[in-house]
Amino acid sequence: MSRVYNFSAGPSMLPVEVLERAQKEMLDCAGSGQSVMEMSHRSKEYQAIIDEAEATLREIMNIPDNYKVLFLQGGASTQFAMIPLNLGNKNKVADYVITGQWAKKAYQEGQRYLEAHAIASSADKTFSYLPEVDKSMLTPGADFVHITYNNTIYGTHFNTMPDFGDAVVVADMSSSILSEEVDVSKFGMIYAGAQKNMGPAGVTVVIIREDLLGNAMDITPTMLKYDTHSENGSMYNTPPTYAIYIVKMVCEWIKNMGGIKVMHEKNVKKAELLYNFLDNSKMFKGTVVPEDRSLMNVPFVTDSEELNAKFIAEAKAKGFVNLKGHRSVGGMRASIYNAMPIEGVEALVAFMKEFEANN
Ligand SMILES: *Cc1c(COP(=O)(O)O)cnc(C)c1O
């Protein structure tokens, strides 16, 4: 069996070491005589797993004690509703920075529950850059400002954190969490669907400052209140037990390599390889302005649709899969998350060079 290099934007590659350990523990996890999938979420065996997942995540991300870590379901998309319902109940006003489709979906969901302001947007240039934003643009009395920290579809990333002063900043980090060091204390809340960079689909991680809890709108369904999950250790109902178990092992994998700082250095090396090639190629070019480029998602194009299609097909035949760009933008996109080894990027660049020479 040979594994492909999977450049999918998500669900995406997982570290081989994690998959192998899951395989080893499939029938009998830690002497329990059961698969994690078969365990009661109320058992002491499972409690140890979720506790370890949280503790390791807290350790590698350096999460301050006054933040809760929640393991939820419904994907990052459910957060688009939970955020305004839970955090927007003081003045029922919130600001959104529109940097792509996910940001726009968050904003549109916000509009259902409060007065949502789009304070800046990069829609004018197909989200190929990030708009300048700072505290002077915030709506007075806004309960929070929402940003998409890494824009998965367009390949942009806030390489410098905007200065929002004392505002409550809520960040969608679905496609960049664990890829770089982040000062959690600068955010009111961080959230991420796990299937990009943390584990399999099915669990969404929320990191929320404690003082933001306890003020949900009356209409908020019980399951959509952060309080419900916070007060019950993410065990109000059955959590996505197996997905959390994988997240735990992914966090341990990062910890064992030396932490997020080391992970980030590897990610910089991988991204540089690809961007350097794109900047020097006569056939391929990146679509994002250099200062806002993402380390995780690298969109690129040739100047012909036909050549794009040929490239994607030939790449696939060589074991480089899921290089097709998002259906809304076309072209190509290489998602090179934490679990993509540098060998995968080197091999891709070598293939692109060869393709360029032959075409
Ligand atoms: C994938 C993604 C989402 C949607 O995640 P789901 O878990 O599928 O709901 C939201 N935001 C960003 C930045 C994403 O990359």
Side-chain angles (χ1 to χ4, degrees):
M1 184 205 64
S2 67
R3 280 175 59 80
V4 293
Y5 287 122
N6 181 4
F7 294 91
S8 169
S12 44
M13 287 183 80
L14 285 165
V16 171
E17 293 90 328
V18 168
L19 295 175
E20 283 174 342
R21 189 169 154 203
Q23 181 181 45
K24 224 192 270 159
E25 296 180 347
M26 181 56 74
L27 299 184
D28 176 10
C29 182
S32 66
Q34 309 156 56
S35 164
V36 173
M37 279 182 267
E38 302 167 300
M39 282 179 187
S40 162
H41 59 297
R42 309 278 176 209
S43 65
K44 72 175 190 323
E45 287 89 349
Y46 191 74
Q47 190 64 50
I49 290 171
I50 193 169
D51 287 348
E52 199 62 31
E54 177 174 343
T56 314
L57 182 66
R58 281 185 176 279
E59 185 181 341
I60 62 176
M61 283 188 72
N62 211 355
I63 300 173
D65 290 343
N66 62 325
Y67 284 73
K68 294 281 187 195
V69 173
L70 310 177
F71 297 103
L72 308 180
Q73 302 193 53
S77 300
T78 296
Q79 294 310 307
F80 299 163
M82 286 178 79
I83 291 158
L85 283 167
N86 285 271
L87 307 187
N89 199 26
K90 273 194 196 125
N91 296 319
K92 294 204 165 60
V93 177
D95 290 328
Y96 288 81
V97 181
I98 313 298
T99 52
Q101 288 196 29
W102 298 118
K104 202 166 138 192
K105 283 189 173 157
Y107 166 63
Q108 286 168 339
E109 197 68 14
Q111 285 178 312
R112 297 168 57 100
Y113 304 109
L114 43 67
E115 188 185 312
H117 296 261
I119 57 165
S121 166
S122 52
D124 60 333
K125 290 182 182 157
T126 350
F127 303 115
S128 59
Y129 71 102
L130 292 177
E132 294 283 333
V133 275
D134 65 55
K135 57 183 176 229
S136 72
M137 298 162 76
L138 300 175
T139 307
D143 289 322
F144 61 86
V145 53
H146 179 279
I147 60 173
T148 310
Y149 207 64
N150 186 79
N151 293 277
T152 324
I153 296 174
Y154 302 94
T156 58
H157 171 267
F158 280 97
N159 292 319
T160 42
M161 176 65 188
D163 176 12
F164 288 125
D166 297 333
V168 173
V169 182
V170 176
D172 180 352
M173 291 196 187
S174 292
S175 50
S176 64
I177 195 159
L178 306 184
S179 71
E180 62 188 333
E181 292 180 298
V182 160
D183 181 354
V184 174
S185 71
K186 288 210 159 73
F187 299 86
M189 183 184 138
I190 291 169
Y191 66 102
Q195 70 273 22
K196 312 301 177 26
N197 221 5
M198 303 188 93
V203 61
T204 302
V205 171
V206 167
I207 301 164
I208 183 167
R209 217 172 61 210
E210 278 168 356
D211 61 283
L212 298 171
L213 296 166
N215 190 35
M217 295 181 193
D218 287 341
I219 57 161
T220 310
T222 304
M223 276 295 288
L224 298 191
K225 279 187 187 166
Y226 293 127
D227 310 5
T228 302
H229 302 285
S230 168
E231 285 159 13
N232 292 282
S234 301
M235 294 266 202
Y236 172 75
N237 70 327
T238 318
T241 52
Y242 198 78
I244 294 168
Y245 159 74
I246 301 285
V247 167
K248 171 187 95 91
M249 293 195 290
V250 169
C251 290
E252 288 166 349
W253 174 73
I254 293 172
K255 181 181 160 181
N256 292 338
M257 78 169 62
I260 293 183
K261 189 164 185 283
V262 174
M263 188 80 255
H264 180 240
E265 285 161 9
K266 289 176 194 271
N267 288 329
V268 168
K269 270 198 198 125
K270 285 187 296 182
E272 271 177 4
L273 264 179
L274 192 47
Y275 285 122
N276 283 342
F277 169 73
L278 291 171
D279 289 343
N280 290 300
S281 166
K282 292 200 171 62
M283 176 181 282
F284 297 101
K285 68 170 198 300
T287 56
V288 171
V289 297
E291 61 273 21
D292 296 328
R293 284 169 167 177
S294 164
L295 294 180
M296 297 284 102
N297 310 99
V298 183
F300 56 95
V301 293
T302 70
D303 56 21
S304 118
E305 280 301 325
E306 214 183 322
L307 212 50
N308 290 347
K310 185 168 185 232
F311 173 77
I312 292 161
E314 286 184 21
K316 187 174 175 196
K318 293 240 155 131
F320 305 105
V321 305
N322 291 316
L323 280 166
K324 199 169 187 320
H326 188 268
R327 59 189 185 278
S328 65
V329 285
M332 282 73 72
R333 172 180 50 175
S335 293
I336 49 175
Y337 295 118
N338 286 350
M340 171 63 67
I342 190 154
E343 293 79 15
V345 181
E346 285 167 351
L348 175 67
V349 168
F351 171 69
M352 289 170 79
K353 276 185 187 151
E354 186 190 313
F355 184 88
E356 183 167 347
N358 294 341
N359 291 275

